[in-house]
Amino acid sequence: MKKRPSKSERNSRGLNVVALGGGTGLSTLLRGLKEYVTRRRDDPADHQRPVSDLTAIVTVTDDGGSSGRLRRENRILPPGDIRNCMVALSQDEALLGRLFQYRFHAGRGLIGHNFGNLFLAALTHVTGDFAEAVRVTSKVLAIRGRIFPSTLSNVALVATLEDGRKVQGETRISASRKPIKKLALLPRTVRPLPKAVEAIQQADLILLGPGSLYTSILPNLLIPEIANAIAKSKAPRVYIANLMTQPGETSGYALADHLTAIQRHTPRRVIDWVVANRQSVSHEVAKRYRAQGAEPVAIDIPNLQKLGYRVVLDNLLDEHGVIRHNPARLAHLVLKEFLARPKHSRR
């Protein structure tokens, strides 16, 4: 592993931030972090934009919707989560972002597809390489950062449920509504994208989540080289807690249960800190989510402390019909807490 730069070297060249996950959670985090990325790589870092390199490492196990159709019919990796991250990091979310998120509502074969998914699928066939298609598309969108799939392998998720039954495929796992005992990748031997591992090795801050525990966070950590790179890192390793439980996947889970599941699936410790929301969900919105089987994630600090985690709490909630993290507040918090203060080093 390359030698990690000293603090003075990091301050002079800017800071490297790596975020891992998938789905809407990761894109929400990236939307806030991009405002702290230097405009040009050769700009000296300043207090307003201290991040010189922002890297998203995205799970590629989605098998539903437009992504699933393209995966089955065109034999490419599912582009949906990566597309969402690209739009979040785009400098022009208003126009190009809307274009890449546009979903066709009519047309035989087109209906249900996103333009961005089709663009990535076409470019994958033109270049012959999904990672190259992601790189070129990132240039088209002028994103502030880099995006890597965690692997270029065609992988599927397999969950062993508490009742012993096995369920294959992200969509079936999410729909099963049964507690999950263990998660695995199929095939079991999966090679990571080397640039993703290198980014982790050079990171000054590693963020996991927010996102679905079993279908966004753990799929990245089930790739041994990625989990090992995080385990070996001296950077602060921070888990950003979900706001709500997910029906089936994490029904009844308190925050410590999320962390216990991660520990159970990784040979070595990969998280030191936990960031969680302390703001209450409004009664009306909570009632609507409860009807769908979701509850606010309970922040059980004594249990987290027993497990050896340190916790940072703040008001991070955004309510606009749906519950999301506030991107600006979340990004400001993690950078202030974990990059501005040397006390968080694990050296």
Side-chain angles (χ1 to χ4, degrees):
M1 186 173 77
K2 295 181 181 178
K3 182 182 177 183
R4 189 164 176 263
S6 66
K7 183 185 173 186
S8 61
E9 290 172 330
R10 298 199 303 274
N11 288 341
S12 65
R13 60 128 170 93
L15 300 158
N16 296 337
V17 177
V18 172
L20 300 95
T24 56
L26 180 57
S27 58
T28 298
L29 172 64
L30 297 176
R31 187 167 285 112
L33 288 175
K34 77 175 179 185
E35 301 301 330
Y36 295 89
V37 177
T38 51
R39 301 301 189 193
R40 299 194 314 270
R41 289 291 181 90
D42 57 350
D43 276 352
D46 56 34
H47 293 297
Q48 287 71 42
R49 298 192 182 96
V51 178
S52 62
D53 186 63
L54 173 59
T55 302
I57 299 174
V58 187
T59 183
V60 285
T61 55
D62 189 7
D63 60 1
S66 172
S67 288
R69 286 168 59 191
L70 289 171
R71 182 177 185 176
R72 290 187 297 272
E73 296 168 8
N74 292 269
R75 296 185 176 274
I76 67 165
L77 293 180
D81 285 352
I82 286 176
R83 182 202 74 240
N84 284 330
C85 292
M86 285 180 175
V87 171
L89 289 175
S90 171
Q91 293 190 41
D92 186 6
E93 282 193 66
L95 180 58
L96 284 175
R98 284 174 57 196
L99 174 63
F100 268 67
Q101 295 289 54
Y102 177 78
R103 187 181 297 275
F104 292 92
H105 299 287
R108 183 177 298 176
L110 276 178
I111 190 168
H113 277 305
N114 289 89
F115 173 81
N117 287 358
L118 296 175
F119 188 95
L120 278 165
L123 199 53
T124 298
H125 288 295
V126 168
T127 63
D129 181 77
F130 184 77
E132 179 64 9
V134 172
R135 188 189 71 80
V136 173
T137 307
S138 297
K139 291 182 68 175
V140 172
L141 288 172
I143 71 168
R144 296 181 198 167
R146 299 183 296 163
I147 299 174
F148 298 131
S150 55
T151 180
L152 293 179
S153 300
N154 184 16
V155 293
L157 290 177
V158 179
T160 303
L161 307 181
E162 288 288 354
D163 61 10
R165 191 162 52 93
K166 290 194 174 184
V167 180
Q168 182 172 325
E170 182 177 311
T171 303
R172 290 191 179 95
I173 292 170
S174 297
S176 71
R177 296 293 196 268
K178 298 290 185 181
I180 297 170
K181 183 178 181 180
K182 185 179 180 181
L183 193 72
L185 294 178
L186 189 68
R188 293 190 177 276
T189 303
V190 178
R191 297 287 297 171
L193 192 72
K195 287 184 178 180
V197 175
E198 183 180 344
I200 294 169
Q201 292 170 340
Q202 293 301 303
D204 300 302
L205 174 63
I206 298 172
L207 305 170
L208 296 98
S212 300
L213 174 63
Y214 288 101
T215 54
S216 290
I217 308 303
L218 280 172
N220 291 318
L221 297 176
L222 291 176
I223 301 173
E225 288 88 343
I226 286 182
N228 288 339
I230 297 172
K232 292 177 181 178
S233 176
K234 301 299 182 183
R237 306 170 301 180
V238 183
Y239 176 73
I240 301 173
N242 291 337
L243 300 169
M244 306 294 290
T245 61
Q246 189 165 350
E249 283 195 34
T250 57
S251 293
Y253 275 39
L255 184 49
D257 296 316
H258 288 73
L259 276 299
T260 300
I262 291 174
Q263 285 185 175
R264 194 168 65 242
H265 285 85
T266 52
R268 298 172 59 188
R269 195 178 185 91
V270 293
I271 295 168
D272 310 298
W273 289 83
V274 180
V275 167
N277 171 61
R278 65 183 176 194
Q279 189 175 346
S280 297
V281 178
S282 69
H283 175 73
E284 284 302 316
V285 174
K287 182 179 178 181
R288 181 155 46 83
Y289 271 78
R290 194 175 299 117
Q292 300 169 2
E295 300 274 356
V297 174
I299 314 301
D300 50 342
I301 291 180
N303 289 332
L304 290 165
Q305 291 174 337
K306 286 179 184 177
L307 292 171
Y309 297 108
R310 291 168 282 184
V311 185
V312 175
L313 300 176
D314 206 343
N315 296 335
L316 301 172
L317 185 64
D318 230 351
E319 281 191 25
H320 296 288
V322 294
I323 293 173
R324 295 282 186 269
H325 285 85
N326 182 291
R329 271 185 263 156
L330 179 58
H332 176 75
L333 175 67
V334 296
L335 295 181
K336 178 188 72 172
E337 286 291 329
F338 302 108
L339 288 183
R341 301 179 188 180
K343 68 180 181 181
H344 291 143
S345 173
R346 297 191 304 117
R347 289 182 183 278

